Amino acid sequence: MSAVPALELIAQDAAAVQVAVEIGAARVELCQALALGGLTPSIATIEHAVAAAAGAVEVHALIRVRPGGFRYDADEVWVMADDVRAAVAAGASGVVVGCLDADGRFDRDQMSRLRDAAGDAGFAAHRAIDVSADPLAAIDDLVALGVERVLTSGAASTALDGTETLAAMVARADGRIDVMAGGGVTAASVEGILRSGVPSIHFSAKRTVRDASGVSMGSAEADGVGSYDTVDIDLARDIAAAVRAFGGVGVR
């Protein structure tokens, strides 16, 4: 009977953390502005998420100062280092970061600064690896930097499309770092993704909520103030069930 891969749910609020608890997730990656790829959550958001987790799941805060690419200047890294310390002080079990240099490799100095700011908290890397110059070589760089886990789609648009590279990453990691698959994960794609050998899977199970109140703040054709993403508990349950079926036992 195979080991059951760990589940990590993307969360933007305490309600999503409660969904993670219900489905037996090991962790949440907490962020805000998921539509922009995720940005650093507020301290209050972290505190409320930690309270909602009540020790049942770990809360790991995404630390990303702005949307766009992953090359940062000194001021941006200074802000992110302070955000790392603040997130840990607010109760986060770990942080998720990613800084690339001009050559498309993980920036050793910047990543080391963020790792030092994290202290004894968990230290993971996000999908910056998927736009790095050499995702396989990046595995070795992240191990040397003390990174415990890396989120990746296998450098593809979705994790299902990237399964060949995911399998190569798992082989390259050789147990030194947790290669966690994420990107477009659905209940239907779980089995194909997990056959790559990844030990954990990351997903949003999101649905879009449209807000049609008030005047339009978008295009002339749009109605209302726009929309936002939230966790769909039924989608989350379906993904957890697919992982459970693959592993043959519980979802944790």
Side-chain angles (χ1 to χ4, degrees):
M1 184 174 292
S2 58
V4 177
L7 295 174
E8 180 178 279
L9 179 67
I10 302 170
Q12 296 187 91
D13 51 31
V17 175
Q18 291 168 345
V19 172
V21 172
E22 177 177 326
I23 66 171
R27 289 179 304 273
V28 298
E29 182 191 90
L30 187 68
C31 68
Q32 64 181 29
L34 183 56
L36 298 177
L39 299 176
T40 307
S42 71
I43 296 303
T45 300
I46 296 171
E47 291 173 342
H48 281 263
V50 170
V57 298
E58 293 185 358
V59 176
H60 292 245
L62 175 68
I63 306 297
R64 185 173 176 230
V65 71
R66 57 160 171 77
F70 305 108
R71 288 180 57 189
Y72 299 105
D73 63 28
D75 287 339
E76 290 172 324
V77 176
W78 181 82
V79 170
M80 288 194 289
D82 276 354
D83 277 338
V84 168
R85 284 185 281 267
V88 174
S93 298
V95 294
V96 186
V97 304
C99 307
L100 300 180
D101 63 20
D103 296 322
R105 298 185 65 173
F106 279 95
D107 190 299
R108 179 172 296 275
D109 291 339
Q110 292 183 351
M111 291 289 287
S112 294
R113 183 172 176 186
L114 299 181
R115 180 198 61 207
D116 292 345
D120 294 332
F123 190 66
H126 54 52
R127 285 185 61 190
I129 193 171
D130 291 328
V131 294
S132 66
D134 186 339
L136 287 179
I139 294 291
D140 298 324
D141 293 338
L142 292 175
V143 170
L145 286 163
V147 174
E148 303 164 0
R149 183 175 62 259
V150 58
L151 170 64
T152 174
S153 64
S157 57
T158 69
L160 186 60
D161 291 335
T163 52
E164 184 174 341
T165 300
L166 285 171
M169 286 177 160
V170 170
R172 185 74 166 246
D174 193 24
R176 298 174 298 159
I177 185 173
D178 181 353
V179 177
M180 179 169 61
V185 174
T186 64
S189 67
V190 161
E191 181 176 355
I193 294 167
L194 292 180
R195 289 195 180 282
S196 68
V198 293
S200 53
I201 196 161
H202 165 106
F203 61 98
S204 63
K206 67 183 179 182
R207 63 180 172 86
T208 299
V209 177
R210 185 167 184 82
D211 187 341
S213 62
V215 298
S216 173
M217 295 178 67
S219 66
E221 294 78 18
D223 294 324
V225 295
S227 59
Y228 62 94
D229 292 328
T230 189
V231 173
D232 186 308
I233 191 168
D234 291 327
L235 293 178
R237 285 171 176 156
D238 288 347
I239 291 171
V243 173
R244 182 187 304 115
F246 183 87
V249 289
V251 297
R252 221 167 162 73

